[in-house]
Amino acid sequence: MVNAVIFDLDGTIIDTEKYFRICWPQAFEHFGYKMTDEQYLSIRSLGKPFVQKTLKDFSGDSNFDYDKVVAYRSELMEKMIEQNGLQIKKGAVELLEFLKKKNIVRAIATASPVDRSERYLRKIGLLEYFDRIISARNMKEGKPSPDVYSFACKELNFAPENCFAVEDSPNGVLSAYRAGCKVIMVPDQSEPDSETEKLLFAKADNLEKIIDLF
């Protein structure tokens, strides 16, 4: 029995990871550092404590200024979105309409701030589909720790085993799996490796395909 579906946002509902993939290396380069594509892929959905340490390690600079680099990356992102717009991931509307008709609760569990998440969802006309938006920014650790999904299930008042979690990245998958949710991966920037595959309840080519699991 599935009472709720909890979605990641970036790369899952909104096609923004392609922008992050460009802007993170550019921000690093701006401050004199280098980020490889493989390094970028490894930081997707990471909670703040983890990403702070990881980025500092990538930079090799003991005086690495996380806040300054993130602020510049955010500036680049906003400019890119202004120029190119926001796109909805394939099948999102169809799946959300289906869940709404079935009275299945819909929530967001994201590494992004609530205000940015609401702004983006409003911009693409999907905000009304979601009952709750929960940000890992308010958690102790965030993904890949289970806290954001554990908190989401508690707030929704459903057992984790009765919740689908929809993710696009390994860090998000691990977070949801550790919380006890049934994890569905819709890969975005990369396919899951063999270890990630073992954690999945299902994998789907796009969001609409998830309807078949009900």
Side-chain angles (χ1 to χ4, degrees), residues 5 7 22 61 80 88 102 112 115 117 126 128 133 157 167 205 213:
V5 180
F7 296 87
I22 296 168
D61 182 359
M80 190 164 284
I88 302 170
K102 291 286 186 180
S112 296
D115 60 344
S117 301
L126 295 184
E128 65 180 36
I133 297 176
N157 202 28
E167 280 281 353
D205 294 333
L213 300 174

Side-chain angles (χ1 to χ4, degrees), residues 11 16 62 67 137 198:
T16 42
S62 59
D67 292 328
R137 298 291 179 95
K198 294 175 185 176

Side-chain angles (χ1 to χ4, degrees), residues 62-137:
S62 59
N63 297 313
F64 180 76
D65 192 330
Y66 170 82
D67 292 328
K68 189 178 289 187
V69 175
V70 170
Y72 186 72
R73 190 270 298 155
S74 297
E75 183 181 325
L76 291 175
M77 277 283 293
E78 290 299 324
K79 287 179 181 177
M80 190 164 284
I81 289 168
E82 187 177 337
Q83 290 171 359
N84 302 293
L86 289 170
Q87 293 80 43
I88 302 170
K89 293 292 287 185
K90 183 179 179 181
V93 175
E94 291 83 357
L95 175 58
L96 291 168
E97 282 284 356
F98 170 83
L99 297 174
K100 188 175 182 180
K101 288 176 183 175
K102 291 286 186 180
N103 293 314
I104 295 172
V105 172
R106 302 152 319 272
I108 293 284
T110 177
S112 296
V114 171
D115 60 344
R116 183 179 82 87
S117 301
E118 289 182 345
R119 178 162 56 88
Y120 284 5
L121 286 168
R122 186 178 291 110
K123 193 169 186 175
I124 60 174
L126 295 184
L127 183 60
E128 65 180 36
Y129 283 100
F130 294 98
D131 300 292
R132 287 293 305 273
I133 297 176
I134 295 163
S135 172
R137 298 291 179 95

Side-chain angles (χ1 to χ4, degrees), residues 8-28:
D8 173 56
L9 183 62
D10 292 292
T12 300
I13 294 292
I14 307 178
D15 193 12
T16 42
E17 283 293 351
K18 62 187 180 185
Y19 296 150
F20 281 112
R21 195 169 186 170
I22 296 168
C23 293
W24 267 121
Q26 285 184 353
F28 248 52

